Amino acid sequence: MTKTQEIIIRSLHRIEELEEVRKLECNIWGDTDSIPSHQTITAVKNGGLVLGAYCKDQLIGFQYSFPGFNGKSAYLCSHILGIDEQFRNKGVGEKLKLAQREEAIKLGYSHITWTYDPLESINGYLNIGKLGGVCSTYIANCYGEMKDLLNSGIPSDRFLVEWHIGKKETTDSRGRGIALDLVMENSLIQWDTIENGLPVPSFTLGLPEPECDTAFVAIPKDFRTIRATNIQAANEWRMKSRDVFSDLFQQGWQVTDFIKNSTTEIPVQFYVLTKN
């Protein structure tokens, strides 16, 4: 994608458009177990939302949401977002989420939830660092064993993100401005570097002292490469991070920010947690 190729985001309502979405989903995840278009069109007609991202009339990304209800209030449950491989890491996901926020507000929602793999640093930076979502719920093996191209080989653990779209400022930003060496020293997961410069977790620190109000947790910059080349290291990251986040959430901590480390010598990024 070049700078001159404009990305257009629009809501989808016709069965032909939603069938295009189904086919793109199959291409992205490498299987045929996709969401049927009769389900997405039913959701669209009953408070749900499907957004398509287009480049020169080609569907290159989508987002699908349906209504949720927790017994007290209604919210939008953001189920799946997918982008064609050639258009990833180009800001399309952020465009889809911002459009989702606008359309959700039009529909009367003030709150959007979704899940994502907390070890995927690109998603962490977008969901927490840029959009201002927060998380205090860790779901171990959320979807059971998944055999698609993006999830096979390790438990499907997920963060449950809460995005309060009525707020103008949602990101806590406590971790920004803190020296990187201090963040590294205090990360509750420490790491070693192995072949190809990839990190593996080495040991974990104890939970923060009661007087602390900020905590840091390292995750790999490139978890997908680790999963593709060293499944043992991928599972070590999964289990150690599961233990750390679960313990923190039980003690009343909440993920409120994300530190994107651009230093090439440091193979990790950091979540920032604050007292809930």
Side-chain angles (χ1 to χ4, degrees):
M1 185 177 72
T2 67
K3 292 182 179 179
T4 58
Q5 290 178 303
E6 185 179 7
I7 301 297
I8 302 297
I9 310 291
R10 68 171 188 260
S11 293
L12 307 182
H13 303 277
R14 296 186 295 109
I15 191 69
E16 296 84 2
E17 295 172 323
L18 298 173
E19 183 62 15
E20 264 195 290
V21 167
R22 187 194 66 78
K23 291 177 180 178
L24 178 57
E25 181 187 349
C26 286
N27 291 337
I28 292 171
W29 275 272
D31 61 20
T32 57
D33 188 20
S34 58
I35 302 170
S37 51
H38 65 76
Q39 179 176 328
T40 52
I41 198 167
T42 301
V44 167
K45 292 179 177 180
N46 293 276
L49 179 65
V50 178
L51 296 169
Y54 291 84
C55 179
K56 292 185 176 180
D57 297 323
Q58 175 192 354
L59 180 70
I60 55 94
F62 72 94
Q63 195 288 313
Y64 166 51
S65 310
F66 55 82
F69 184 68
N70 59 13
K72 296 180 181 179
S73 61
Y75 55 92
L76 192 63
C77 184
S78 184
H79 181 58
I80 188 169
L81 186 152
I83 300 168
D84 184 278
E85 185 175 6
Q86 297 181 27
F87 292 84
R88 291 174 195 163
N89 304 322
K90 299 180 185 297
V92 179
E94 183 177 4
K95 289 179 183 292
L96 281 165
K97 294 301 292 185
L98 294 176
Q100 180 192 39
R101 176 180 182 169
E102 292 180 8
E103 294 301 317
I105 290 173
K106 291 178 185 177
L107 291 170
Y109 295 106
S110 61
H111 181 202
I112 302 176
T113 70
W114 66 91
T115 62
Y116 79 95
D117 186 338
L119 294 178
E120 294 283 359
S121 64
I122 293 175
N123 294 337
Y125 177 56
L126 172 61
N127 296 333
I128 307 297
K130 299 188 76 173
L131 298 177
V134 296
C135 175
S136 57
T137 302
Y138 192 97
I139 309 174
N141 205 23
C142 179
Y143 301 112
E145 182 182 359
M146 303 178 73
K147 298 181 179 180
D148 61 86
L149 293 176
L150 302 181
N151 293 287
S152 62
I154 64 170
S156 57
D157 292 19
R158 295 294 185 264
F159 270 180
L160 176 63
V161 178
E162 311 250 355
W163 194 22
H164 301 282
I165 57 178
K167 297 181 179 180
K168 292 183 178 179
E169 298 294 337
T170 52
T171 304
D172 189 277
S173 300
R174 291 195 187 187
R176 302 177 191 183
I178 299 177
L180 184 58
D181 57 351
L182 185 62
V183 175
M184 293 171 57
E185 180 182 347
N186 288 280
S187 170
L188 298 185
I189 298 180
Q190 296 291 309
W191 65 94
D192 292 323
T193 302
I194 57 172
E195 67 273 8
N196 301 324
L198 296 176
V200 293
S202 53
F203 63 93
T204 59
L205 305 179
L207 290 179
E209 296 296 327
E211 63 271 14
C212 292
D213 63 357
T214 305
F216 309 100
V217 178
I219 63 166
K221 277 185 179 179
D222 187 0
F223 184 62
R224 292 189 183 184
T225 296
I226 295 175
R227 190 178 58 217
T229 60
N230 191 330
I231 195 66
Q232 179 180 348
N235 276 289
E236 288 177 11
W237 273 110
R238 174 65 83 220
M239 303 315 294
K240 275 194 166 55
S241 62
R242 175 193 289 184
D243 290 343
V244 168
F245 284 120
S246 297
D247 289 346
L248 286 167
F249 292 159
Q250 288 177 7
Q251 295 296 321
W253 290 83
Q254 183 178 55
V255 172
T256 52
D257 204 356
F258 190 90
I259 298 176
K260 183 179 181 181
N261 155 45
S262 57
T263 306
T264 56
E265 294 81 10
I266 302 173
V268 294
Q269 314 279 31
F270 301 92
Y271 284 106
V272 182
L273 295 94
T274 55
K275 278 290 188 179
N276 189 356

